[in-house]
Amino acid sequence: MTLMKVSVKWIQGKKTLDDVDIDTAEDAEEFLSKLWSLTGVPMERQKVMIKGKSIKPGVDLSKLPLKSGAVLTLMGTSESLPEAPKERVKFIEDVEDEEQQVALMEGTPPGLLNLGNTCYMNSTLQTLKCVPEFVQAISNSTTVSEGDTQASLVKSARGVFQQLKGSSTVNPSVFLESLRQCYPQFAERGEGGHPMQQDAEECMTNILSTCKHVLQNESAMEVEGREMPNSIQDLFGVHVKSTLVAEEGNESEEKEDDVMKLTCHISAETSHLAMGIEEGLNEKIEKFSPAMGKEVIFSKSTKIDKLPKYLIVQFVRFFWRKDSQKKAKILKSIKFPKMLDTYNFATDDLKRALDIHRHAEIVELPDADASNPHPPMEDPRGLAIRYRALIEKHPDSGNVSEWRDAAEKYEKIAEQLAAGEHVPDTSSPLSGKYELCAVLTHQGRVADGGHYMAWTKQSREKWAKFDDDKVSFVDESEIEKLSGGGDWHMAYICLYRLPQVGLTRESHNAKRLKA
């Protein structure tokens, strides 16, 4: 029997915890995480002993003298536990009729406990959870974490995402411990020994970088009978081409690079996300010029040459103030669209590739029966009809093969959806247009403080707001208020995805009536 109940005598807390479950088949981190949630003592402060043996991360519990009724000793001081809600608890009987129906029928997704200024991490995890392919790639990972902090981070991420499939609030202490071991800056403490607030964008970048490295190593291994999912680069990577021209002399340089995000620069003129991205792609930088033998200003012009399935855009809101020696925040309102068009940021080669599918948006369709109109483009049948129309109107085009493949693909998706089958990928074609699916926000005027939250799209007009362990549904109109300009939450990271297709009720009903 591997599961047993033990008692834990907590010295500093001056109390004994009875009937604590411990499973010797699990990792020691799972048990230490449980002690963290019960006592508030972080794993790095815990010293757990049984008969002279220490229980710490990596220890094999099955080799310790554990049995039911055993008494363990815990030494360590706790951090402040999360405060009780200041607002009165809202019971289901108090909820208005419409909100009550939503709560009863669907329920809110689970949140994550704040373990002491960890809202930056919680909001990052909830945002990445919007990418099912990413979660699946992590879940399929077979990495062994022993002695490898990066592999340990991926393994703990797998555990968090698995728990988030449930309905109860999740304690991400094991993931936090792995994050801090892999990236010690996230373990920094301020006055009084309390954990410091960290940057959510830095957290996201490090998580994706680690997962990319670990999963690439796995993909390089020959594993018979198992196909690895899309790599992190395929999901988020943007391939760019840049031209640098020196403002002094005739020096120029061509560069190519892979980046995991686009940046929205904020100047006095910036008022919209697209303007900020354009500024970020065309900038002046100072670098050493071998020809001039000194630092020279270069004009850098960048174009996107390859687009991913998901597009991360960061608002560059934080900057270093020399007078206060602190990171300050730009509060200016920057509008961001529900649908972002990246066409103008593309190279000519990429534009030609995007045009193949953009033609479907403007093709003239054959006349339709008034009782059975053509489905819209967000319906896979509507897409298929448009590709068939393109083939009919332009039979000699060099794009006919791509149009035919697309028509057949979305005809099949429509059939699968109509039959109630699961379709793993319902993305529309790569046309350069992306729909907003998550917003990570920051509230506050300094980078080293404030509060982060995540807002993720649940349906066409409904979003979920993740305020650590407090989760609620909000209308899409609330997302439009996150542009900034005041002290309310403002967008810091926007996550866009290829628009999703699905059967529309009107066209589906019309088809059934005709049948």
Side-chain angles (χ1 to χ4, degrees):
M1 183 178 73
T2 62
L3 181 63
M4 59 192 73
K5 292 185 181 295
V6 297
S7 296
V8 180
K9 185 177 181 181
W10 181 21
I11 304 299
Q12 281 76 7
K14 298 181 180 180
K15 64 179 181 181
T16 299
L17 308 175
D18 295 319
D19 295 328
V20 179
D21 290 333
I22 185 170
D23 192 339
T24 56
E26 292 182 344
D27 294 334
E29 288 94 330
E30 296 292 335
F31 179 66
L32 298 176
S33 172
K34 186 177 298 181
L35 293 184
W36 187 347
S37 63
L38 291 172
T39 65
V41 181
M43 278 194 278
E44 66 267 20
R45 295 190 193 176
Q46 293 178 12
K47 185 174 183 180
V48 184
M49 305 290 295
I50 178 171
K51 295 185 178 180
K53 302 288 186 179
S54 178
I55 300 179
K56 54 187 177 181
V59 167
D60 186 348
L61 295 179
S62 65
K63 296 182 179 179
L64 296 179
L66 289 167
K67 62 180 181 178
S68 292
V71 179
L72 285 65
T73 302
L74 167 64
M75 291 174 280
T77 56
S78 66
E79 296 178 335
S80 298
L81 294 173
E83 297 181 0
K86 296 180 180 179
E87 297 180 1
R88 178 177 66 86
V89 177
K90 196 173 187 181
F91 294 102
I92 194 70
E93 293 86 350
D94 303 325
V95 184
E96 296 180 359
D97 290 343
E98 183 178 353
E99 188 178 353
Q100 179 179 355
Q101 291 177 6
V102 173
L104 286 173
M105 293 176 63
E106 302 181 30
T108 54
L112 293 159
L113 282 177
N114 190 318
L115 303 173
N117 274 338
T118 56
C119 57
Y120 70 92
M121 179 188 76
N122 291 345
S123 57
T124 296
L125 289 171
Q126 294 288 10
T127 300
L128 291 175
K129 181 173 171 281
C130 288
V131 184
E133 300 91 338
F134 173 74
V135 175
Q136 188 62 45
I138 297 300
S139 299
N140 289 347
S141 171
T142 58
T143 183
V144 178
S145 61
E146 185 175 353
D148 186 339
T149 57
Q150 290 192 324
S152 178
L153 183 66
V154 174
K155 181 180 178 182
S156 59
R158 183 169 67 225
V160 169
F161 289 131
Q162 182 62 38
Q163 293 179 72
L164 286 174
K165 293 179 181 179
S167 58
S168 303
T169 298
V170 175
N171 183 337
S173 55
V174 174
F175 181 81
L176 177 62
E177 184 70 15
S178 296
L179 180 68
R180 288 173 171 173
Q181 288 179 357
C182 198
Y183 299 101
Q185 66 267 33
F186 294 111
E188 291 178 341
R189 294 180 178 272
E191 296 180 4
H194 297 294
M196 294 179 62
Q197 179 65 283
Q198 302 291 337
D199 189 328
E201 185 279 326
E202 184 180 357
C203 180
M204 181 178 290
T205 296
N206 285 322
I207 291 174
L208 291 179
S209 175
T210 299
C211 292
K212 178 181 177 181
H213 172 74
V214 172
L215 296 181
Q216 276 182 339
N217 286 346
E218 284 192 3
S219 297
M221 301 177 185
E222 294 184 2
V223 183
E224 185 176 354
R226 182 167 63 88
E227 181 179 352
M228 293 301 296
N230 290 334
S231 70
I232 305 302
Q233 182 66 30
D234 292 331
L235 291 174
F236 303 102
V238 181
H239 187 72
V240 297
K241 292 184 175 180
S242 302
T243 301
L244 291 86
V245 179
E247 295 192 350
E248 297 181 48
N250 299 318
E251 188 175 357
S252 64
E253 180 182 354
E254 302 287 335
K255 292 182 62 177
E256 295 189 30
D257 198 9
D258 289 310
V259 297
M260 300 296 284
K261 66 180 180 182
L262 297 180
T263 55
C264 172
H265 286 211
I266 303 175
S267 66
E269 294 76 27
T270 312
S271 60
H272 191 275
L273 181 67
M275 294 175 62
I277 294 175
E278 185 70 34
E279 291 180 27
L281 294 174
N282 297 278
E283 58 182 339
K284 293 184 183 297
I285 63 171
E286 185 176 8
K287 63 188 294 287
F288 181 78
S289 166
M292 301 292 291
K294 63 178 182 178
E295 296 290 323
V296 173
I297 301 296
F298 283 77
S299 295
K300 182 180 180 181
S301 176
T302 302
K303 291 290 185 180
I304 298 172
D305 195 53
K306 184 179 179 182
L307 284 164
K309 190 171 184 179
Y310 293 84
L311 194 61
I312 299 172
V313 184
Q314 177 206 356
F315 294 76
V316 185
R317 289 196 174 274
F318 299 120
F319 67 99
W320 182 256
R321 289 193 58 168
K322 293 183 179 180
D323 55 349
S324 62
Q325 292 294 296
K326 289 183 179 180
K327 275 187 179 180
K329 183 179 178 182
I330 301 173
L331 302 176
K332 185 178 181 179
S333 174
I334 305 296
K335 301 294 183 182
F336 52 91
K338 298 176 186 176
M339 189 72 70
L340 176 65
D341 193 348
T342 62
Y343 187 82
N344 291 334
F345 311 139
T347 61
D348 290 339
D349 286 343
L350 179 55
K351 284 181 178 179
R352 282 189 285 271
L354 299 178
D355 282 336
I356 293 174
H357 298 291
R358 291 173 80 94
H359 289 316
E361 301 175 9
I362 57 175
V363 65
E364 184 179 347
L365 298 178
D367 293 336
D369 189 338
S371 64
N372 187 24
H374 294 305
M377 284 198 64
E378 57 264 27
D379 189 310
R381 292 166 300 185
L383 271 174
I385 289 171
R386 285 162 172 79
Y387 282 113
R388 293 294 182 192
L390 282 171
I391 295 171
E392 183 176 345
K393 290 181 178 296
H394 308 284
D396 298 325
S397 170
N399 299 328
V400 166
S401 176
E402 287 88 347
W403 292 337
R404 183 178 294 109
D405 290 344
E408 293 174 354
K409 172 184 176 180
Y410 289 103
E411 285 166 351
K412 182 178 180 180
I413 288 176
E415 291 175 2
Q416 292 175 310
L417 292 175
E421 298 178 18
H422 171 67
V423 182
D425 185 4
T426 58
S427 300
S428 62
L430 185 62
S431 67
K433 294 183 178 181
Y434 290 81
E435 67 176 5
L436 184 68
C437 64
V439 182
L440 191 156
T441 61
H442 179 265
Q443 182 182 31
R445 291 178 175 261
V446 293
D448 299 330
H451 185 56
Y452 289 99
M453 292 200 304
W455 314 64
T456 69
K457 190 172 186 177
Q458 305 294 304
S459 63
R460 289 187 182 276
E461 297 182 356
K462 187 176 69 177
W463 288 63
K465 178 177 72 174
F466 294 90
D467 183 2
D468 291 322
D469 58 327
K470 296 180 283 294
V471 184
S472 59
F473 289 125
V474 298
D475 292 332
E476 191 172 55
S477 59
E478 293 298 311
I479 306 304
E480 298 172 2
K481 301 175 183 178
L482 303 176
S483 59
D487 288 322
W488 178 235
H489 275 272
M490 61 188 70
Y492 181 42
I493 296 173
C494 280
L495 177 63
Y496 286 88
R497 69 185 177 195
L498 293 180
Q500 303 296 293
V501 299
L503 298 181
T504 53
R505 183 179 292 106
E506 293 80 3
S507 57
H508 186 55
N509 289 340
K511 182 177 180 179
R512 291 176 60 188
L513 286 171
K514 185 177 180 180

